[in-house]
Structures are given as structure tokens and as C-alpha cells.
Amino acid sequence: MSSISLRLSESLHKRIRELAKKEGISINQLINSALAEKVSALMTVDYLEERAKRGSRGRFERALSKVKDIEPREEDRI
């Protein structure tokens, strides 16, 4: 496990302390969790951008053409 020194504004530190207390976890756990969520979100954007590069409008349209042109069921209507 690694450690870092982190400088926070007093107002942010206060809010983090309050949130951690409300959640019943340590400030360290809260920051770890928040950072993991952010990293995951950024990695997801990268992943989706890579997938989009492999996409093909032609293949999409061919797949879409195989879908029957029927009215949606009543429970699926908007």
C-alpha cells in the first residue's frame, strides 16, 4: 500500500469529514472510494472511445436491417 500527502482546503476537508462520519467510514476509505470511482469513469470513457473507433456504420446498418419492422408491444411504448 502506498501513501501520499494531500493538501485540501478547509471547507473540502470539513465536508469529507462529515460525509465519512455519516457513512460510518474513515476519511481515508472515503477518499479511496471516491478516487476509485473517478478512475473507473475515466477508464470507461477511454474504453468506449476505443470501441467506437472499431465501429462501422455499414455493419450497424446491416444488423439493423435484420430487425423486423413491427409495432412495439403496449408495455414498450413511450
Side-chain angles (χ1 to χ4, degrees), residues 4-73:
I4 61 170
S5 176
L6 181 64
R7 296 186 196 285
L8 300 171
S9 67
E10 286 297 321
S11 60
L12 182 58
H13 188 214
K14 179 182 175 189
R15 288 184 184 194
I16 290 171
R17 188 181 322 112
E18 291 167 353
L19 285 170
K21 184 176 180 181
K22 179 180 174 186
E23 294 296 314
I25 59 176
S26 69
I27 291 175
N28 187 62
Q29 288 173 302
L30 181 68
I31 291 173
N32 261 307
S33 177
L35 186 56
E37 286 180 30
K38 181 64 176 184
V39 168
S40 177
L42 292 172
M43 290 176 69
T44 298
V45 169
D46 291 343
Y47 170 77
L48 292 175
E49 286 174 349
E50 278 300 311
R51 289 292 307 258
K53 288 178 189 175
R54 297 190 334 236
S56 161
R57 181 70 182 196
R59 288 190 324 215
F60 168 73
E61 289 179 358
R62 281 192 301 277
L64 197 57
S65 72
K66 295 176 184 177
V67 177
K68 294 181 182 178
D69 187 16
I70 59 173
E71 288 293 317
R73 296 184 308 202

